[in-house]
Amino acid sequence: MNALDTTLLLLSAAVLGVVAFRMLQLPPMLGYLVVGILIGPHGFGLAQESSATHELAEFGVVFLMFSIGLEFSLAKLMSMRRAVFGLGMAQVIVTIAMAMVCGLAAAQWLPGHFNIGWEAAFALGGALAMSSTAIVSKMLTERMELESPHGRQIISVLLFQDLAVVPLLIMVPALASHSGDLAETLAWAGGKAALVLFLLLFLGQKLMRGWFRIVVKRRSQELFMLNLLLITLGAAWLTERAGLSLALGAFVAGMLISETEYKHQVEEDIKSFRDVLLGLFFITIGMLLNLRLVIEHGWLVLLLLIAPVMLKFGLIAALARVFGNSTSVSLRTGLGLAQAGEFGFVLLNQAGGLKLLDPLLLQLILASMVLSMLISPFILAKSDAIVMKLSANEWMTQSLALTQIAARTMNVKKHVIIAGFGRSGQSLARLLSEEFIEYQALDLDPDRIREAQIAGANVSYGDAARRESLLAVGINRAAALVVTYTNTNSALKILHLVHELNPSLPVIVRSHDDTDLNKLRAAGATEVVPELMEGSLMLASHALVLLGVPLRRVVHRVQTARDERYESLRGFFHGASDMVDGPENLQLRLHTVVLNARAKSLGKSLADLNLAELEVDVTAVRRGKNRLSPEQSLILQEADVVVLRGTAESVARAEQRLLK
């Protein structure tokens, strides 16, 4: 099977797997893993493992860590240093120590199944200490929990695990060969790693903004993308050369770009690379699972699955509690990190190559690690329910938080509920306060909430997309609700809850553009404010006033555009500099069609063509220098220019109807 055959097989299998799991309302990640199991060498044998495939798949983790780095900054990382070098280091060291104790005890009690020395137990402990950066980070991102207290703890531990891989990869072969220069080797590796991180974090920070400014001034989307790939892969290459992981370098690169004004553009551009390659990574993980071995040694694989996951969960939860986290945060941190990780496979393969482990035992441990990654999305999805059952006071903690919100709003009526207390939410709160209108805000960033509460803001920790939070904040007594962040899925959940709890409550929703305008209106939004549309209106109004148009006429035009729900502004002519639409992007666009002598629409009226059934509007028809009103009775002629408005797909169908 050549490279093209393998690529087509992986792509087709991935598409079918993701479609099936989406229909079952399961995480797409599981679809990739199951696809890998089925087509891999231990399944139907359609695809074989190769180093090239694994190396390509590893870039998925690289781009994922780069995206996560975009959510952080150097200042935020410094504020997390206690969690990274405190909790993270403790987790790795204690996990290795406990794994060594358990491994040696198992070898003593079950010599027929576990015949390992202390060097092998150390290698197994290092592998067990690793957690899956790819799975956990992706799940936290999808659940919008990266900024939550447990999300920060989890990311901190994952970062230290990436750092710990380097000394572990040095120590395992040194211990196996009983080398005497271990300290010197570790010191040399640590020095190289520290130097590279210093260059990236401090010199890179000074160079990044200036270099991006030079690239952006060239006004080339192609150059911008090439530069982005160069920085991401270049930083990953540097850290790998220093003995660190590729993913750590990509994380640092993302963190540096997060402090520039190009963060959001970079985030959109990198998304397609990340998702495709990350899917390939999960497929390669699934290909490692040997189902025949699992069936033949089922009880042993089950033991090797349950025991490490439970041990790791309990250990991490206990350590997180020791480091001052609440019980619920500690339990969620333990659940998030209980599975095996990608670097665990690297350490395990190294131990196998050094003949530290019996080949059969190695395969059984490998199978249990893959299974732990396979069940991880289910554990994370049910983490709230698990924590509620395990923690006797968790429901009391949540009830207390809701009670505190309710206590603040108990005597408040006709107030405005602000969902999200970012920059937009804070600006709205300031204007409401100046007009002596009460408000109550909900947000999920504990640092922001603490700072704002000290300053006297009426903001509480809570998720506006949860029924309990809305009830606690007094939705039945509120005058309006404003969603100040641009997350359509969350806004739709809020609108659904408002429809159930207080159907007459006006809801104003912020959106990025007009892509989801109709969807949000249909869900019950009283007003949808697309920030790109409003920005266009403000630019136009200032320009018209400066050009001498009477202020009253300008205000009338702006108000008319708003009254008609931005209908006249919807759609625009796309160019090479515009982001390419994704498969789910339903953004309206304008497109011109010139009718040539062979066009089949010549002599027909717009009513005859019935373009409305294709969900396309004709916004204008230009004939020579004249702009004609697109009446349904208008007969089209040769050389007419027809301006269409619709999605990319619907406009393409309409063009076919006009010309062929």
Side-chain angles (χ1 to χ4, degrees):
M1 184 178 287
N2 58 36
L4 180 59
D5 293 336
T6 303
T7 303
L8 288 174
L9 173 64
L10 293 174
L11 286 175
S12 56
V15 169
L16 292 174
V18 171
V19 167
F21 274 70
R22 282 286 190 189
M23 291 174 66
L24 295 171
Q25 296 185 337
L26 293 171
M29 186 190 313
L30 290 177
Y32 290 122
L33 290 169
V34 171
V35 162
I37 294 170
L38 294 176
I39 69 172
H42 306 298
F44 293 111
L46 300 176
Q48 299 298 319
E49 293 183 66
S50 68
S51 58
T53 304
H54 279 283
E55 288 171 4
L56 182 62
E58 192 174 355
F59 286 123
V61 183
V62 168
F63 286 117
L64 175 67
M65 289 304 292
F66 177 81
S67 298
I68 292 172
L70 290 173
E71 302 297 326
F72 286 79
S73 64
L74 188 57
K76 184 180 288 187
L77 186 65
M78 292 301 292
S79 69
M80 294 166 58
R81 61 185 180 276
R82 183 172 182 269
V84 175
F85 296 102
L87 177 59
M89 182 184 295
Q91 182 266 325
V92 171
I93 293 174
V94 177
T95 302
I96 292 175
M98 291 195 68
M100 290 180 68
V101 171
C102 293
L104 293 174
Q108 184 72 26
W109 296 334
L110 300 170
H113 294 93
F114 297 96
N115 186 19
I116 57 176
W118 72 271
E119 297 93 343
F122 178 86
L124 284 176
L128 178 62
M130 300 297 116
S131 301
S132 176
T133 300
I135 291 178
V136 178
S137 301
K138 187 170 177 61
M139 289 293 291
L140 288 176
T141 303
E142 289 177 353
R143 290 165 60 87
M144 295 184 292
E145 293 179 353
L146 275 177
E147 288 294 331
S148 64
H150 64 276
R152 291 190 179 190
Q153 298 297 312
I154 289 171
I155 293 297
S156 298
V157 173
L158 289 173
L159 286 175
F160 186 83
Q161 288 177 1
D162 277 0
L163 291 170
V165 170
V166 183
L168 288 173
L169 288 174
I170 295 170
M171 292 174 71
V172 170
L175 292 173
S177 62
H178 305 286
S179 173
D181 59 352
L182 176 61
E184 181 182 345
T185 306
L186 283 174
W188 173 243
K192 285 196 302 180
L195 177 62
V196 168
L197 288 177
F198 173 80
L199 291 174
L200 284 175
L201 288 172
F202 295 99
L203 294 183
Q205 188 179 25
K206 299 178 185 298
L207 295 174
M208 191 68 70
R209 191 184 300 273
W211 175 246
F212 258 94
R213 192 172 290 120
I214 292 172
V215 170
V216 169
K217 283 183 178 179
R218 306 286 78 79
R219 298 183 181 277
S220 169
Q221 182 67 21
E222 180 183 4
L223 179 60
F224 188 87
M225 177 59 71
L226 288 172
N227 178 62
L228 178 57
L229 293 175
L230 173 64
I231 289 173
T232 307
L233 299 179
W237 177 81
L238 279 174
T239 52
E240 187 194 33
R241 287 295 177 182
L244 298 168
S245 68
L246 289 168
L248 184 63
F251 175 83
V252 173
M255 194 171 60
L256 295 178
I257 293 176
S258 73
E259 299 186 0
T260 71
E261 60 268 35
Y262 311 107
K263 168 186 172 180
H264 298 294
Q265 179 65 34
V266 166
E267 200 168 14
E268 288 298 325
D269 287 345
I270 208 72
K271 192 180 296 182
S272 55
F273 290 97
R274 179 195 68 196
D275 292 344
V276 171
L277 292 173
L278 198 58
L280 180 58
F281 170 80
F282 290 128
I283 290 176
T284 59
I285 293 297
M287 290 168 66
L288 296 173
L289 184 61
N290 189 335
L291 287 175
R292 182 180 59 81
L293 203 65
V294 172
I295 295 171
E296 290 178 359
H297 303 273
W299 69 271
L300 196 52
V301 172
L302 190 63
L303 175 65
L304 291 171
L305 169 65
I306 295 175
V309 168
M310 295 299 293
L311 173 69
K312 200 171 174 184
F313 160 65
L315 176 64
I316 294 173
L319 287 173
R321 194 76 181 91
V322 169
F323 276 83
N325 293 289
S326 66
T327 303
S328 62
V329 171
S330 301
L331 290 173
R332 286 184 171 88
T333 304
L335 288 170
L337 296 168
Q339 77 293 121
E342 303 83 28
F343 294 121
F345 294 117
V346 177
L347 290 165
L348 205 61
N349 287 332
Q350 185 186 56
L354 295 168
K355 309 297 183 186
L356 293 175
L357 291 169
D358 178 76
L360 176 60
L361 179 60
L362 185 70
Q363 285 297 316
L364 293 175
I365 295 172
L366 186 68
S368 67
M369 289 172 67
V370 174
L371 287 173
S372 75
M373 296 174 75
L374 192 62
I375 65 173
S376 182
F378 292 107
I379 294 175
L380 288 169
K382 298 294 182 182
S383 58
D384 289 337
I386 295 172
V387 171
M388 290 286 282
K389 288 186 177 181
L390 292 179
S391 177
N393 64 347
E394 170 63 9
W395 70 271
M396 293 182 64
T397 304
Q398 293 194 12
S399 298
L400 179 60
L402 294 174
T403 302
Q404 290 173 346
I405 299 174
R408 293 193 187 100
T409 63
M410 189 174 295
N411 298 320
V412 179
K413 293 181 179 179
K414 301 297 181 183
H415 58 292
V416 177
I417 299 173
I418 302 176
F421 207 62
R423 189 166 187 174
S424 297
Q426 291 172 40
S427 299
L428 172 60
R430 197 173 299 119
L431 291 172
L432 291 173
S433 297
E434 290 173 0
E435 294 296 327
F436 304 102
I437 298 174
E438 293 281 355
Y439 73 88
Q440 292 293 329
L442 293 172
D443 198 87
L444 291 172
D445 189 321
D447 293 338
R448 181 187 296 152
I449 292 167
R450 184 177 64 254
E451 294 273 352
Q453 284 180 344
I454 293 172
N458 296 325
V459 57
S460 304
Y461 184 87
D463 185 357
R466 290 186 60 195
R467 179 192 303 270
E468 296 84 358
S469 298
L470 290 177
L471 287 171
V473 85
I475 189 173
N476 294 316
R477 305 185 304 276
L481 188 151
V482 184
V483 181
T484 65
Y485 49 82
T486 57
N487 185 308
T488 301
N489 290 332
S490 179
L492 290 172
K493 290 180 183 177
I494 293 173
L495 289 167
H496 175 72
L497 291 172
V498 170
H499 180 71
E500 288 185 2
L501 301 173
N502 189 355
S504 61
L505 182 70
V507 182
I508 304 169
V509 179
R510 173 188 167 199
S511 68
H512 178 63
D513 52 31
D514 60 332
T515 303
D516 298 315
L517 201 62
N518 294 334
K519 187 189 298 184
L520 290 167
R521 282 188 203 150
T526 310
E527 295 288 346
V528 180
V529 182
E531 53 190 30
L532 284 182
M533 302 291 196
E534 281 295 323
S536 301
L537 284 176
M538 289 300 99
L539 285 171
S541 62
H542 284 295
L544 291 173
V545 170
L546 287 173
L547 292 171
V549 178
L551 181 60
R552 180 177 295 179
R553 192 188 304 174
V554 173
V555 172
H556 175 71
R557 283 189 174 277
V558 171
Q559 192 57 47
T560 300
R562 288 173 177 157
D563 289 343
E564 64 181 16
R565 301 295 190 270
Y566 310 97
E567 197 62 35
S568 61
L569 302 179
R570 299 193 69 185
F572 64 100
F573 296 108
H574 282 223
S577 61
D578 296 305
M579 187 179 68
V580 178
D581 288 349
E584 297 178 357
N585 192 344
L586 301 179
Q587 191 175 59
L588 298 181
R589 59 172 65 204
L590 296 178
H591 179 61
T592 55
V593 179
V594 181
L595 302 183
N596 55 39
R598 297 189 301 275
K600 290 194 174 181
S601 58
L602 298 182
K604 296 181 180 179
S605 68
L606 293 178
D608 295 333
L609 294 169
N610 193 19
L611 297 179
E613 73 173 359
L614 301 177
E615 298 182 345
V616 170
D617 298 323
V618 178
T619 63
V621 176
R622 188 166 60 84
R623 184 170 294 165
K625 294 184 178 181
N626 299 320
R627 184 183 178 93
L628 307 178
S629 177
E631 303 291 342
Q632 289 296 303
S633 58
L634 179 66
I635 304 297
L636 297 178
Q637 300 178 10
E638 183 181 348
D640 279 353
V641 178
V642 182
V643 182
L644 305 174
R645 180 174 63 194
T647 62
E649 184 180 353
S650 59
V651 163
R653 292 200 305 266
E655 183 175 9
Q656 290 285 322
R657 181 171 293 187
L658 286 170
L659 298 178
K660 298 180 181 179

